[in-house]
Structure formats: structure tokens, C-alpha cells
Amino acid sequence: MNEPWRLGIGCIGSKAGIALYHGRSLQDQKFFGSPIESKFFLHLRTLIPPAEWSKVTEIISLQGPGPFTGIRLGFALGHGLTLQSKKSFYVQPTLSVIASCSPTFPVVSVVDSGGGWLWVQHFVDANKPAGSIQTLHRSAVLPKNLAHIPLCGWGLDRLSWDGFTVTIDQVLKNLMENPYAQNAQIVAQDPYYGAAPATVKPKLGA
């Protein structure tokens, strides 16, 4: 079976990365900061020359929850590219991607919105959430059932919480390589305001 060429888009807050994969093999990647929207296509053209764009068949991005601007921007860029070029577009839950970055399990995956709110979710391993997503104010404490579990997250350094703080390169790598990529959802709607993903594709390559 021919392995697909896949483009990954990881945007969280003011950080972003894009990566080109052939199947599960990284070919090249670029990282950049704000203003993400003005730099995205410049980096995309250096990552994938226009003459080679046709070989990319799948685009994958973060679904959220997360900082509003980064998630919406990543989704809009990925969805716009797929609408323009008729490629398949997939999303992965951000907390799942972050949990897969953890060196140990179980873990509580954390995303700081940067605006006063946090999203947390308990994972017993990289492929198995143990509970639903919870929303907390950053001044709150973790629920008692999660307080003894190690943390892995985006923005832990801003919160002064102890735990494994992920970086944009780790997020992008695990967006493309963690087990959730085996069951990523193909989408046709906005992740915040649209309906549920239209269909599910079992695998994204070998």
C-alpha cells in the first residue's frame, strides 16, 4: 500500500509548527511564532514547493480545547487548504495529543487558555482517557481525584505548577505520531460551532 503524504498543523497560542510526513516518517518541519497567520504560507512554501503540493493527500490539525486564537487559526488554515485542494482533513483532540507527550502514565493532561481558564483530562495511557474533560479557573485547585496524579501540559510554567511542560515541537510530533492518529476524525465543520465530525477514517497510513 502506498503511504500517504501528510501535512501537520500545530497551533497553540502564539506558537505554531508545520510538518511534512510520508506515512509515519518525518520529512521536514518548520516552527514559528506570532503573527502566525502572516508567516504560515511563507513557511508552507518552503516546506512544500508549489510544484509538489499535489502529492499531499491528508492534512491534520488540533481540534481543541485550547487557546481560542491558535486552535481556530490552525483549524481555519487546515480546513481552507482542504477545501481549496480537495484533500482530506483530520483533527485530533488537543488534550490527547498533549497526554501522549508525557514520559509516564497515568497523567493529567492540562491546557492553559492564557485567559484565566484551564482544561484538564485524566489519561491512564496515551491512548486511553479515564474521564471527561473538565474546565477549571486557573485560581482553582485540581479535584481531589486528580490531585495526586502527575501533570503534563501546555502552560504549566505560566501556572507555576509542577509537571512536564510540553513544547510546540513535541505537540507537533505527537499530533502526527501518537496513537490517536490511527483514529483521527475527518471533519467538515468548525470544531467550536459546527456539528459532529462527518465521518471517521480508521487509519492515516501505515
Side-chain angles (χ1 to χ4, degrees):
M1 183 177 68
N2 292 329
E3 293 185 323
W5 286 86
R6 301 186 293 136
L7 172 68
I9 303 172
C11 297
I12 302 186
S14 62
K15 302 293 183 181
I18 54 176
L20 178 64
Y21 274 71
H22 186 203
R24 299 291 176 190
S25 300
L26 174 65
Q27 304 298 303
D28 197 5
Q29 58 188 352
K30 307 288 182 184
F31 298 99
F32 47 101
S34 295
I36 295 172
E37 61 274 21
S38 67
K39 298 178 181 179
F40 177 82
F41 288 102
L42 172 64
H43 287 290
L44 182 62
R45 289 175 66 89
T46 60
L47 187 74
I48 311 171
E52 299 181 19
W53 176 241
S54 61
K55 71 183 180 184
V56 176
T57 59
E58 299 172 349
I59 299 173
I60 187 166
S61 182
L62 295 169
Q63 181 184 24
F68 188 76
T69 300
I71 296 299
R72 288 297 299 273
L73 182 58
F75 187 92
L77 291 169
H79 200 188
L81 287 171
T82 55
L83 290 174
Q84 184 272 332
S85 56
K86 308 297 183 183
K87 303 180 189 302
S88 297
F89 180 39
Y90 303 88
V91 293
Q92 289 195 62
T94 302
L95 286 165
S96 303
V97 174
I98 287 176
S100 70
C101 297
S102 176
T104 61
F105 291 93
V107 71
V108 174
S109 181
V110 180
V111 177
D112 178 17
S113 71
W117 294 96
L118 314 172
W119 296 276
V120 301
Q121 189 173 22
H122 178 202
F123 286 80
V124 294
D125 64 38
N127 198 27
K128 190 176 181 181
S132 59
I133 297 172
Q134 299 184 50
T135 304
L136 303 173
H137 191 270
R138 62 184 304 165
S139 63
V141 296
L142 285 171
K144 289 183 178 180
N145 64 316
L146 302 180
H148 66 287
I149 303 173
L151 304 178
C152 176
W154 179 268
L156 293 184
D157 50 341
R158 295 194 299 269
L159 297 168
S160 298
W161 287 9
D162 293 330
F164 184 81
T165 299
V166 301
T167 59
I168 190 62
D169 57 314
Q170 293 168 325
V171 170
L172 185 61
K173 174 179 171 63
N174 285 277
L175 171 68
M176 302 301 288
E177 298 179 12
N178 86 73
Y180 273 85
Q182 296 287 337
N183 294 291
Q185 296 173 312
I186 185 168
V187 296
Q189 288 90 14
D190 183 292
Y192 280 92
Y193 299 118
T199 58
V200 174
K201 182 177 179 180
K203 299 185 74 174
L204 287 178

